[in-house]
Amino acid sequence: MKSFTYERAKTPEQAAAAVAGRPGAKYLAGGTNLLDLMKLEIETPTHLVDVQDLKLDQIEKTAEGGLRIGALVTNTALASDMAVRRDYGVLARAIVAGASGQLRNKATTAGNLLQRTRCPYFYDTNMPCNKRRPGTGCAAIGGFSRQLAVIGSSDQCIATYPGDMGVALRLLDAKVETVKADGAKRAIDFADFHRLPGNEPQRDNVLEAGELITAVTLPKPIGGTQLYYKVRDRASYAFALVSVATVIQKDGSGRVAFGGVAHRPWRVEAAESAFPGGARAVTEKVFADARPTEDNRFKLKLAERTLASLMAQARS
């Protein structure tokens, strides 16, 4: 691990200014992903700004009837919150599908959104990777790609977003609240938060230098039967080959978002009008522009079958 300096911020504005003003600085909260990457020298921050004292660990009702989730709320606290379990069941189910109990006790809401890809070539520092070292190439293209993207990829990168919580937040039309180094605040639609790789696969999201996530907000509950299912190579503690988050209403209408298939949680709202026609009708539209490899073409059928299973479960 490379040497670094360290400080504990007292306010969100102070933290944002500290990171923006020092090249190579990064935030430290739960550290469940960052510290692993530092040990492998994939991440080599020159300075860490610890944000654990910022008091962003509350879940509150909003005036609009939704919830405001502080950036430092742990995954365990969020999944066990009674309002989340009652009104946003798909979110609670997605969270407990991820990681282990120990990790969820430390992992934070903001950190979950910022976790890096688990592409094996990103983690192997002997291999070229445009996400880890821009301009070096992508060893995954033409390599072993079973776990990687089937849609939204580019000629520079076919990595996937690894999270579960983010798939549910995309389904629920969440927003990400931030503060910038100059103190300016903004709310980013979750649909716009994560980027596709394009020609800059090293950029996972639209945050500016030093911009700090302070909260995630959920709109008022939408009801329906809320389900999340994650298909993976092991029964637990594994990342998704395909995951499906869905809300299905009694009249047969619904929403669906997919994980494990693209560089960001994947949802195509225009395809949701096909819900009455069944899972195949929906997934044919969702994955109309898919570019799978021979290794991961199976994900397209897997996504259809997983959605079909959840639709049947909702009807039962």
Side-chain angles (χ1 to χ4, degrees):
M1 182 183 290
K2 300 285 188 182
S3 61
F4 57 89
T5 53
Y6 171 90
E7 69 174 281
R8 292 181 80 112
K10 299 301 181 186
T11 68
E13 292 78 10
Q14 179 191 359
V19 170
R22 193 155 180 168
K26 285 189 173 293
Y27 296 113
L28 174 66
T32 57
N33 189 206
L34 177 61
L35 296 185
D36 282 348
L37 295 173
M38 289 174 65
K39 292 173 186 174
L40 296 169
E41 297 190 358
I42 294 169
E43 295 278 9
T44 55
T46 58
H47 184 67
L48 290 182
V49 177
D50 193 328
V51 297
Q52 294 183 76
D53 295 337
L54 300 188
K55 298 180 175 59
L56 301 174
D57 58 353
Q58 301 298 309
I59 301 173
E60 306 165 307
K61 291 184 179 179
T62 67
E64 294 76 25
L67 286 182
R68 185 174 189 273
I69 304 159
L72 296 176
V73 173
T74 67
N75 290 186
T76 296
L78 183 56
S80 60
D81 182 84
M82 288 307 298
V84 172
R85 290 166 60 88
R86 182 186 63 238
D87 297 327
Y88 305 95
V90 66
L91 177 57
R93 289 182 170 90
I95 293 170
V96 298
S100 65
Q102 289 174 314
L103 285 170
R104 292 194 296 270
N105 288 342
K106 289 294 294 181
T108 65
T109 298
N112 194 297
L113 305 187
L114 299 176
Q115 61 181 306
R116 306 301 307 273
T117 183
R118 264 60 176 190
C119 174
Y121 299 98
F122 177 75
Y123 276 77
D124 186 344
T125 55
N126 294 310
M127 303 297 287
C129 173
N130 287 322
K131 181 177 282 296
R132 176 170 27 81
R133 293 187 62 192
T136 59
C138 176
I141 297 175
F144 181 69
S145 54
R146 171 179 168 80
Q147 194 81 21
L148 302 177
V150 297
I151 197 166
S153 59
S154 74
D155 293 337
Q156 303 295 314
C157 181
I158 58 172
T160 49
Y161 170 76
D164 295 290
M165 179 193 295
V167 182
L169 293 176
R170 176 68 180 91
L171 183 81
L172 294 170
D173 290 332
K175 290 182 181 291
V176 180
E177 294 184 0
T178 69
V179 61
K180 299 181 183 180
D182 62 1
K185 299 178 180 178
R186 67 169 171 160
I188 306 167
D189 288 339
F190 203 85
D192 300 325
F193 182 76
H194 292 102
R195 297 179 68 256
L196 293 179
N199 292 322
E200 294 182 299
Q202 71 275 18
R203 294 184 60 209
D204 292 337
N205 54 64
V206 299
L207 293 178
E208 299 175 7
E211 190 169 7
L212 174 71
I213 297 174
T214 54
V216 172
T217 57
L218 297 174
K220 63 182 181 180
I222 58 174
T225 300
Q226 303 195 9
L227 300 168
Y228 185 84
Y229 195 81
K230 179 179 182 178
V231 183
R232 45 192 162 178
D233 282 330
R234 290 195 303 257
S236 67
Y237 200 50
F239 296 94
L241 291 169
V242 168
S243 64
V244 180
T246 186
V247 175
I248 300 174
Q249 305 292 346
K250 290 183 178 178
D251 64 2
S253 63
R255 301 181 182 188
V256 64
F258 295 87
V261 297
H263 200 256
R264 65 186 185 193
W266 195 257
R267 182 182 175 197
V268 179
E269 283 89 336
E272 292 167 358
S273 61
F275 253 73
R280 178 172 299 180
V282 175
T283 54
E284 282 180 351
K285 292 187 176 182
V286 169
F287 295 105
D289 297 323
R291 301 197 312 170
T293 68
E294 288 305 310
D295 284 347
N296 64 25
R297 187 176 301 278
F298 72 94
K299 286 190 175 191
L300 301 177
K301 182 58 71 174
L302 187 60
E304 176 193 329
R305 289 175 175 173
T306 306
L307 177 59
S309 175
L310 295 181
M311 285 178 161
Q313 186 175 335
R315 288 194 298 269
S316 64

